Structure formats: C-alpha cells, structure tokens
Amino acid sequence: MSKEWPLWEVFIRSKQGLNHKHVGSLRAADAKMAIENARDVYTRRSEGISIWVVESNSVHANDPADADAYFEPSDTKIYRHPTFYDVPDGVKHM
Amino acid sequence: METYTMSNFNNEELEKRFQEKIDKEIKIEPNDWMPDAYRKNLIRQISQHAHSEVVGMLPEGNWITRAPNLRRKAVLLAKVQDEAGHGLYLYSACETLGADREQTIDDMHDGKAKYSSIFNYPAVTWADMGAIGWLVDGAAIMNQVALCRTSYGPYARAMVKICKEESFHQRQGFEILTTLCKGTEQQKAMAQDALNRFWWPSLMMFGPSDSDSPHSAQSIKWKIKRFTNDELRQQFVDAAAPQADILGLTIPDANLKWNEARQHYDFSEINWDEFWQVLEGNGPCNKERIAARKAAKENGQWVREAATTYAEKRALRKTA
Ligand SMILES: [Fe+2]
Ligand SMILES: [Fe+2]
C-alpha cells in the first residue's frame, strides 16, 4: 500500500450566524478533496452552508487527564458571575 | 492530535477513575485515558460495525439498476449512499482509538475481522429490497438506538447521526412490501417469500445468545453495550410481529405467539448451527462479498495513488 491520505477534521456551519461546529473526520489527498468529500458525507440533508477542513495533525490540545486542575482557577472565581453581587431591591436595569 | 501532559497517575488510580466516569455516565473521549482492553474491545466492535455498513451496500447496490421505477431507484440510491457514509463515520470513530483504517479493512478482507452475517445472504427478488429495509435496517436501528448511549463519545455521536439517517431506510422497505402486499397474488407471494428467507437471518443479526457471547458482560460493565443481544432480539421480535400482521404476511415461526404473562412474544430457538456456519465463512455469499470488497480496493488503488501524486505536485508548485 502506498502512502495513506492524511486525516482531516471537518467543521460545518449549519446556518448563517452560527459557529462552525466539529462534525467528524475523513481522509482525503488534499484540502479540496476533503471539502468535497465533507459535502458528500456530512451535508446530505441540508446540514450546512459552509465547510472548514483542518488537517488533524494541526490540532493541538490540553491533556484531558489534567483537565480538573487545569480549569480549576475558573471554578473558584465566582465573583466573575453577576449572581455573586447583592443588588438592593428596587434597582432596575442592572 | 497532540496533547500536552502535566501530570501522571498510576494505573490503578486511572482505572478506578475510568470506571467512576463510566458509572456517572460521563463519556470517554479519544485522548482520555482508557484501559487497553476497553480500547481493543471498541476497535473490534466499531470496525466490525463499519465493515457491516460497507458490505451491506452490496446486496442492495445489486438492485439499483433494476428498481421498478425512478422513485424507487432514487430512494434506493440514497439509502445505499447513506450506508457508505455510515461506514465512514464508523471508520473515523475507529481511527480516534488509534486503529489504522486500512489495516482494519485488510483484516476484514483476510477473514480476521467479521461483518454482520446477514449480508452473506443473497437478495434475489425486488421484494428482498423491502424485506431488507424493514427487517435488516429495522434490526440495525434497534441495535443502533441503544448504542447512542454507548460510553465512547465518538461512537455515540456517530450513532446519533446514523440513527437520524436510518429512519427512512426502514420505512422505504416497509413501503415496498406494503405495495407488493396490496398488489397481485404473485406480488404478495413474492413478499411472503422474502420474509421467509430474511426472518431468521435478521434475528441472528443480534449475535449469539447471551450465554454464548464472550464479550458481553465486560461490554455491559463498560457501557459499550447498553443491552444484551437477547434483550435487543426480543425487542425486535415484539416490534416486528404486529407489523407483519399489518402487511398480512406470516412470520415463518409456528411458535411465535404473544405471551401475556411475559408481555413479550415467544419464539422458536434460532438455528445456531446455521449462524456459526455463516460466521465461519460458509454462508451462501461470503466468498462473493469479500471478493467484491477486495476488487473494489484493488481497482481503486491507481485512483488513490494518482490523487496523492496530484496533491503532492500541487503542494510543490505552491511552495516553488
Ligand atoms: Fe447504516
Ligand atoms: Fe440503513
């Protein structure tokens, strides 16, 4: 077997105004083929109006094993949320 | 995908945390730690599932050019195309576990990996397209709906997408049979004949009986499977029996009877000898199916190579 086609991650915008969202992956020789194949397999029922493809080995990530510690600083800072604050009764538009 | 590690736990601690996550219905994602056996078990199940989607295209693909009218032809074509997509979603899910896609495919071609035994039965009449949609896709749906809650994230997401697409597959099959059953006597006989041939192989799709299913207990503990083979098979019989009544067809099982106490249909014991024979490669179409898949891979080889060369040349031209 000759060289395998690279793996691509597929992102689809389902409609104007929404984010592109990861839907899956596929193999293709190049970006153009990846986009065409993504159209054929991931948008057969009007699931999208825009496709991004990214070569999988270009995606970098944090280690999920450390996720608890890694994201802990944001859990402890409850004063970042509006519900942390006391607002006197009768105050409007705040 | 690359990850950046900050710390390490020992294996025992990791295994404990893993099972806790499973028990709490937290999905396992590709880069999460998992026991080797969990990974292996999943690769085996998902690749087997992927192979089934792909081999499953053969009996129906055979009828696309002979569909009785343009509507049926467009529908069958769309269904077969969906199955190709299902194969892709599943091979992709398998790859997230570190499996080599081409290797898993070669394993099937070499007889080392299985696919659903149902596709080793021939589709000899147009009514078989009806029976396959109704029963074979029906059985697959039963299994796949349960798998939408499987513990491995990419597998579960693939199942959700597949289930959405499957829902028309069973209906189009049932519609074919409804039409035949309302037709001439010959047409109805054709529908009955298809049911006679596909009923038992469809029940076998759920796999060996729980007592003979080696991976079952561990798969349930890890929530790879959410129901046992026998539980799903019973669900399927309970759903299909009244549907056969509506068609006016007779399920080929003299012992099929509603059991008021159990609130389920009773049915005869499956011919397990036939099941194992087909699984071992001795079904009516095993050799033909594998030969077709091998030919597809071999005959497409030059196309894949040409695409690679073209992509390389274009990349070179861009940097030049
Ligand atoms: Fe499918
Ligand atoms: Fe299907």
Side-chain angles (χ1 to χ4, degrees), chain B residues 53 83 86 137 144 162 166 169:
Chain B
E53 300 285 352
E83 307 301 4
H86 297 174
D137 286 82
Q144 291 172 155
I162 285 174
E166 285 289 350
H169 296 183

Side-chain angles (χ1 to χ4, degrees), chain B residues 53-180:
Chain B
E53 300 285 352
V54 171
V55 177
M57 289 192 281
L58 295 169
E60 291 179 306
N62 182 42
W63 278 93
I64 291 173
T65 55
R66 285 176 281 165
N69 59 46
L70 192 56
R71 179 181 183 273
R72 297 278 187 225
K73 187 173 182 168
V75 167
L76 191 57
L77 193 58
K79 178 186 189 291
V80 172
Q81 195 187 15
D82 274 353
E83 307 301 4
H86 297 174
L88 173 89
Y89 309 149
L90 289 161
Y91 284 125
S92 294
C94 218
E95 279 196 285
T96 65
L97 291 158
D100 182 312
R101 181 183 307 209
E102 291 307 316
Q103 188 58 53
T104 59
I105 291 170
D106 290 340
D107 282 350
M108 184 220 343
H109 293 177
D110 296 341
K112 282 185 245 162
K114 309 279 186 217
Y115 54 89
S116 181
S117 55
I118 188 78
F119 302 117
N120 291 316
Y121 292 85
V124 293
T125 73
W126 172 250
D128 291 3
M129 295 302 96
I132 288 175
W134 172 38
L135 300 172
V136 177
D137 286 82
I141 289 168
M142 216 45 101
N143 190 33
Q144 291 172 155
V145 165
L147 285 171
C148 288
R149 287 171 56 239
T150 189
S151 58
Y152 186 57
Y155 192 23
R157 291 191 287 274
M159 281 303 120
V160 170
K161 190 159 167 53
I162 285 174
C163 283
K164 269 187 207 156
E165 301 190 350
E166 285 289 350
S167 48
F168 99 76
H169 296 183
Q170 192 183 23
R171 285 187 180 202
Q172 64 85 36
F174 200 75
E175 191 192 74
I176 289 172
L177 291 179
T178 311
T179 308
L180 288 173

Side-chain angles (χ1 to χ4, degrees), chain A residues 74-88:
Chain A
S74 99
D75 292 339
T76 52
K77 295 175 181 58
I78 50 169
Y79 44 83
R80 283 174 173 165
H81 299 277
T83 46
F84 178 75
Y85 299 92
D86 289 329
V87 177

Side-chain angles (χ1 to χ4, degrees), chain A residues 3 27 41 45 63 66, chain B residues 6-7 82 89 95 312:
Chain A
K3 226 171 69 188
R27 286 193 176 267
V41 288
R45 288 174 175 77
D63 184 354
D66 297 325
Chain B
M6 280 165 62
S7 68
D82 274 353
Y89 309 149
E95 279 196 285
E312 281 168 356

Side-chain angles (χ1 to χ4, degrees), chain A residues 2-5 7 25 27 29-30 32-33 41-42 44-45 47 59-66 70, chain B residues 1-7 31-32 82 88-89 92 95 100 102 161 165 168 304-305 307-308 311-312:
Chain A
S2 61
K3 226 171 69 188
E4 259 196 69
W5 289 347
L7 191 64
S25 58
R27 286 193 176 267
D30 58 19
K32 187 166 173 274
M33 188 195 277
V41 288
Y42 289 109
R44 280 199 303 278
R45 288 174 175 77
E47 290 97 333
V59 178
H60 302 263
N62 69 290
D63 184 354
D66 297 325
Y70 199 70
Chain B
M1 203 197 279
E2 231 179 289
T3 52
Y4 300 101
T5 304
M6 280 165 62
S7 68
N31 294 323
D32 292 349
D82 274 353
L88 173 89
Y89 309 149
S92 294
E95 279 196 285
D100 182 312
E102 291 307 316
K161 190 159 167 53
E165 301 190 350
F168 99 76
R304 291 192 296 280
E305 279 170 11
T308 303
E312 281 168 356

